């Protein structure tokens, strides 16, 4: 659908509305950081440069409240996840501190403590998963990672014999019916 230019008499009011809405938000700085190229808010804010237009067939584009409201919810969710990780109990294991979460939340570097190397959370498929933490934007690599789950080929082929429901062949995630089963596996001396 071809966009049409925003009428000149509307530019000022749209910009004022956007600025006021963001300035009044408790997440002001975070909202500004979310204004990435291509996002709906970025399109509207780009009116400042007079090089972006809004499609009149989509009136929601003329009202930034929904976009900012959704962004605020995303920011609050992220903060809630960080707080959940901060306050979650840790249990020492042979590989380092394992965070024990009572619900799954995305785990980022925010909220982590020294020695945190993995986290346990309920699995959507039932039971619990234990996953090794990786740096932002990095994939887990067993050979180069300083943190490894102890593994043997037998465990990967038949994890139930070790009390697990599964073990990823790359060695970065374990599955079990309970967190205790995972910690029991991590404490088995003959696997190190």
């Amino acid at each position: 659908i071809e966009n049409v230019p925003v009428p000149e008499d509307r530019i000022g009011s749209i910009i004022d509305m956007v600025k006021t809405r963001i300035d009044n938000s408790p997440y002001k700085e975070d909202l500004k950081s979310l204004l990435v190229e291509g996002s709906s808010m970025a399109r509207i804010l780009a009116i400042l440069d007079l090089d972006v237009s809004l499609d009149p067939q989509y009136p929601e584009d003329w009202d930034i409240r929904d976009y900012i409201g959704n962004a605020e919810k995303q920011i609050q969710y992220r903060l809630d996840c960080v707080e959940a990780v901060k306050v979650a109990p840790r249990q020492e294991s042979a590989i380092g501190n394992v965070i024990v979460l009572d619900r799954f939340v995305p785990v980022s570097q925010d909220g982590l403590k020294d020695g945190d190397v993995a986290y346990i959370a309920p699995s959507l498929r039932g039971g619990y998963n234990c996953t090794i933490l990786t740096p932002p934007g990095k994939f887990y690599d067993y050979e180069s990672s300083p943190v490894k789950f102890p593994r043997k080929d037998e465990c990967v082929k038949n994890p139930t014999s070790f009390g697990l429901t599964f073990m990823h062949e790359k060695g970065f995630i374990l599955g079990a019916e309970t967190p205790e089963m995972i910690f029991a596996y991590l404490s088995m001396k003959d696997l190190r």
Side-chain angles (χ1 to χ4, degrees):
I1 299 173
E2 185 176 351
N3 285 355
V4 298
V6 176
E8 289 294 325
D9 61 349
R10 289 286 291 159
I11 293 177
S13 63
I14 294 175
I15 293 173
D16 289 343
M17 180 178 64
V18 171
K19 286 182 175 179
T20 300
R21 184 70 173 87
I22 290 180
D23 286 342
N24 290 336
S25 171
Y27 310 109
K28 178 178 176 180
E29 296 306 316
D30 292 284
L31 284 172
K32 288 180 178 178
S33 71
L34 290 177
L35 301 180
V36 295
E37 184 178 354
S39 73
S40 298
M41 285 195 293
R43 286 203 299 133
I44 294 175
L45 288 185
I47 295 171
L48 287 168
D49 298 326
L50 303 181
D51 62 356
V52 172
S53 59
L54 301 177
D55 192 329
Q57 294 191 46
Y58 295 91
E60 64 270 20
D61 281 354
W62 291 75
D63 189 345
I64 195 63
R65 286 177 297 180
D66 287 342
Y67 290 122
I68 295 180
N70 288 336
E72 287 174 330
K73 290 176 184 175
Q74 292 173 10
I75 292 166
Q76 186 59 56
Y77 177 65
R78 185 184 70 202
L79 295 175
D80 290 345
C81 291
V82 169
E83 188 61 26
V85 171
K86 281 182 180 178
V87 302
R90 269 75 173 163
Q91 185 162 330
E92 289 186 26
S93 74
I95 61 171
N97 292 341
V98 178
I99 303 166
V100 183
L101 298 166
D102 59 6
R103 61 188 173 92
F104 174 79
V105 297
V107 178
S108 66
Q109 296 301 304
D110 296 329
L112 298 185
K113 299 177 181 177
D114 288 342
D116 291 343
V117 297
Y119 67 95
I120 288 178
S123 169
L124 296 177
R125 295 174 293 183
Y128 290 81
N129 287 343
C130 186
T131 307
I132 288 179
L133 291 161
T134 55
K138 300 289 185 182
F139 290 103
Y140 178 78
D141 178 70
Y142 188 87
E143 300 305 324
S144 63
S145 175
V147 180
K148 299 176 174 67
F149 285 136
R151 67 173 183 169
K152 285 186 172 181
D153 288 342
E154 307 94 271
C155 179
V156 175
K157 293 174 184 174
N158 186 19
T160 54
S161 63
F162 292 83
L164 303 175
T165 54
F166 73 91
M167 182 172 188
H168 196 282
E169 63 181 7
K170 297 295 184 182
F172 72 97
I173 185 169
L174 309 176
E177 291 183 9
T178 67
E180 290 73 23
M181 292 178 178
I182 293 173
F183 285 117
Y185 171 76
L186 292 178
S187 68
M188 293 173 65
K189 293 182 173 55
D190 63 334
L191 291 177
R192 283 189 267 286

